[in-house]
Amino acid sequence: MDSEDRPLHPIERDDREDGRDETVNERADRNWDELLQELRVMQTGTQILTGFLLAVAFQPRFEDMDAFQRDVYVVLVGLAALATILALAPVGMHRALFGRQRKPQLVRVAARIVRIDLIVIAALTVGVTTLIIDFTVNRSAGLIALVASIVVIVGLWIAMPTLVRRARNDIHER
């Protein structure tokens, strides 16, 4: 398929479906600004979790962790590093592409990276919650925290947006 024949990604279209009167570049600029706001929130949370995890290893009670807890801890440190790298990737890409008229492509790729980072941050948050409850209470409570955390994330990050989209579609169909 020729590049001119391929369907355009929503960020590349100059459509007026959402009622905004903006060019492709204006839309890319707006979407980039929105992505940056999301990245700022994600980075703050990730930095707090990462700082917590790094401090844990230097606490006297770290030695009290069993092998499973230490393994989970190491995985969580890896996830925290990955989340940080993913959150910084769009900024690095922006710097590399700055002034090269690639903003629509940058926004499209950065939006994918942010989605992946959200999955990593969800796993990190669930893992940290599980580890803390497992260590401070017991393994059964840790497993309950694991399941509860997953349910909350699925509910708020997947189910709720789906319901909002459906409600909006129902309103537009009337």
Side-chain angles (χ1 to χ4, degrees), residues 17-18 164-174:
E17 292 175 18
D18 65 359
V164 170
R165 275 193 301 273
R166 285 186 186 153
R168 184 175 189 271
N169 290 342
D170 290 346
I171 291 170
H172 287 293
E173 289 175 2
R174 291 180 188 173

Side-chain angles (χ1 to χ4, degrees), residues 40-158:
R40 285 183 182 107
V41 171
M42 291 168 55
Q43 276 185 318
T44 301
T46 303
Q47 287 171 339
I48 291 167
L49 285 175
T50 302
F52 162 76
L53 286 169
L54 295 177
V56 165
F58 299 101
Q59 299 302 312
R61 289 201 56 204
F62 185 75
E63 295 299 322
D64 296 341
M65 294 173 86
D66 63 29
F68 171 76
Q69 292 165 337
R70 269 194 288 279
D71 290 346
V72 169
Y73 173 80
V74 170
V75 169
L76 292 173
V77 169
L79 285 173
L82 179 60
T84 301
I85 291 166
L86 288 169
L88 294 174
V91 177
M93 289 174 46
H94 180 265
R95 193 54 16 222
L97 297 173
F98 186 77
R100 297 189 181 182
Q101 288 74 44
R102 297 304 227 199
K103 181 86 54 92
Q105 293 86 359
L106 170 65
V107 170
R108 189 173 56 252
V109 172
R112 288 182 184 137
I113 291 170
V114 167
R115 280 189 211 103
I116 293 166
D117 200 18
L118 280 171
I119 293 167
V120 172
I121 291 170
L124 178 60
T125 303
V126 167
V128 166
T129 303
T130 302
L131 179 63
I132 291 169
I133 301 300
D134 182 275
F135 183 76
T136 59
V137 181
N138 61 43
R139 183 77 22 98
S140 295
L143 293 173
I144 291 168
L146 171 80
V147 172
S149 298
I150 291 171
V151 167
V152 169
I153 287 173
V154 168
L156 292 175
W157 293 8
I158 297 171

Side-chain angles (χ1 to χ4, degrees), residues 21-39:
D21 184 23
E22 57 189 2
T23 66
V24 171
N25 287 332
E26 289 168 338
R27 180 177 299 240
D29 288 341
R30 178 177 53 81
N31 287 335
W32 177 251
D33 288 343
E34 290 179 16
L35 271 171
L36 285 180
Q37 291 302 322
E38 293 172 10
L39 285 167

